[in-house]
């Protein structure tokens, strides 16, 4: 039985919130192995959490328990859930945080976490379900507690989802948008990397950006479009920040052109 648990939150590291959750896990399952995925999700940004989970969760061994807390609805009537998939168990709020992972690895079963015997307290703090519900439940799962002991089964089709950015076919290319921005300032589009093989370049506003295979194909400071390790085209600046250079934000529209620039 796997004792591997991953953690993702929007709690940051300057406060003790993440440490409190880890303390609860170790108190229940001392043999746990914890892996921090990311704790720098912008506060309450469920979409950013969705993206980061998709980038990391598929690379862990089957049977891993994944705990994610980006929870602007904490204390409300939103459900707390565990979702069973082919690659592991997903623990967190039912607010669309797991949308992209579930689009690739569909839910097999899901439960609503109503059994207070597996919470830290029958009266959890209304602002810290990460410590009082999600962390203890994850630890009990590591100890082998069956999914159905944690609460009633719910229809997987009833789980909340986020609307993901969609592509639009154009006469001579594709239209997409910026779906994520990493710490290097790379602007990650929702255009699959394979589309770049037949493209001449990409436009963002009035800027024409050439396709390249590696950073070394352009001069320092130049902008380019290349296939990122995540499988999407991204706009980058060699040794710089494309976000800063272009002033682009999440949701900005981009167009991939399938012919040479005029």
């Amino acid at each position: 039985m796997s004792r591997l648990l991953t953690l993702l939150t929007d709690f940051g590291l300057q406060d003790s919130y993440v440490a409190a959750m880890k303390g609860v896990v170790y108190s229940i399952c001392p043999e746990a192995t914890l892996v921090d995925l990311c704790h720098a999700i912008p506060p309450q940004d469920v979409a950013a959490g969705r993206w980061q989970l998709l980038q990391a969760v598929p690379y862990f061994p089957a049977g891993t328990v994944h705990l994610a807390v980006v929870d602007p609805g904490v204390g409300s009537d939103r459900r707390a859930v565990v979702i069973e998939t082919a690659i592991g168990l997903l623990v967190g709020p039912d607010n669309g945080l797991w949308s992209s992972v579930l689009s690739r690895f569909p839910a097999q079963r899901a439960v609503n976490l109503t059994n207070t015997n597996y919470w830290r307290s029958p009266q959890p703090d209304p602002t810290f379900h990460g410590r009082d519900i999600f962390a203890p439940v994850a630890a009990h799962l590591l100890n082998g507690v069956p999914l159905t002991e944690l609460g009633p089964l719910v229809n997987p089709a009833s789980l909340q989802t986020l609307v993901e950015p969609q592509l639009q076919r154009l006469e001579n290319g594709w239209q997409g948008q910026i779906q994520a921005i990493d710490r290097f300032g790379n602007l990650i589009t929702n255009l699959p990397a394979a589309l770049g093989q037949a493209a001449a370049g990409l436009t963002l506003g009035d800027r024409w950006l050439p396709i390249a295979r590696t950073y070394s194909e352009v001069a320092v400071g130049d902008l380019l479009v290349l296939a990122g390790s995540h499988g999407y085209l991204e706009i980058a600046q060699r040794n710089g920040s494309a976000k800063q250079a272009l002033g682009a934000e999440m949701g900005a529209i981009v167009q991939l052109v399938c012919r040479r620039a005029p």
Side-chain angles (χ1 to χ4, degrees):
M1 181 174 60
S2 174
R3 297 286 175 84
L4 184 60
L5 174 65
T6 73
L7 298 172
L8 177 142
T9 74
D10 60 351
F11 296 164
L13 295 175
Q14 72 179 46
D15 300 305
S16 58
Y17 302 129
V18 173
M21 290 177 60
K22 291 182 177 182
V24 170
V25 171
Y26 284 128
S27 296
I28 297 169
C29 182
E31 300 85 7
T33 297
L34 273 59
V35 177
D36 295 297
L37 298 187
C38 180
H39 298 297
I41 302 299
Q44 296 89 48
D45 193 337
V46 178
R50 169 199 65 82
W51 168 259
Q52 295 296 343
L53 288 168
L54 179 62
Q55 302 317 304
V57 166
Y59 297 99
F60 282 81
T64 299
V65 177
H66 301 279
L67 169 56
V69 185
V70 182
D71 193 14
V74 63
S76 71
D77 59 358
R78 68 93 185 91
R79 292 184 298 194
V81 294
V82 175
I83 306 166
E84 183 179 48
T85 72
I87 60 170
L89 297 170
L90 316 178
V91 184
D94 180 20
N95 61 5
L97 189 56
W98 295 108
S99 294
S100 290
V101 172
L102 293 175
S103 68
R104 298 192 182 187
F105 307 97
Q108 298 172 342
R109 293 187 298 172
V111 299
N112 189 6
L113 302 177
T114 58
N115 189 343
T116 60
N117 291 328
Y118 296 102
W119 298 3
R120 193 180 74 89
S121 166
Q123 296 181 324
D125 189 289
T127 67
F128 204 175
H129 286 187
R131 179 194 66 195
D132 295 347
I133 298 178
F134 298 124
V137 163
H140 285 299
L141 288 169
L142 294 178
N143 281 338
V145 171
L147 193 69
T148 51
E149 286 292 312
L150 303 173
L153 290 168
V154 300
N155 183 350
S158 72
L159 295 170
Q160 297 297 309
T161 59
L162 295 181
V163 177
E164 298 187 31
Q166 300 297 308
L167 296 180
Q168 180 181 346
R169 189 72 167 93
L170 303 177
E171 182 179 354
N172 196 37
W174 295 87
Q175 178 172 294
Q177 64 187 81
I178 305 301
Q179 66 171 332
I181 303 174
D182 68 17
R183 71 178 300 269
F184 297 101
N186 296 323
L187 306 174
I188 302 166
T189 77
N190 65 327
L191 296 161
L195 294 179
Q197 297 175 9
L202 182 146
T203 61
L204 173 62
D206 60 358
R207 296 293 297 268
W208 172 265
L209 305 165
I211 303 288
R213 192 177 66 85
T214 68
Y215 293 103
S216 62
E217 293 178 15
V218 302
V220 171
D222 281 358
L223 292 159
L224 68 155
V225 179
L226 73 170
S229 61
H230 36 65
Y232 295 94
L233 293 177
E234 65 181 21
I235 303 168
Q237 182 183 43
R238 183 175 177 185
N239 294 11
S241 166
K243 172 180 168 55
Q244 183 175 349
L246 295 168
E249 300 292 343
M250 293 272 288
I253 298 299
V254 295
Q255 292 187 351
L256 188 69
V257 180
C258 295
R259 59 175 168 78
R260 290 296 165 189

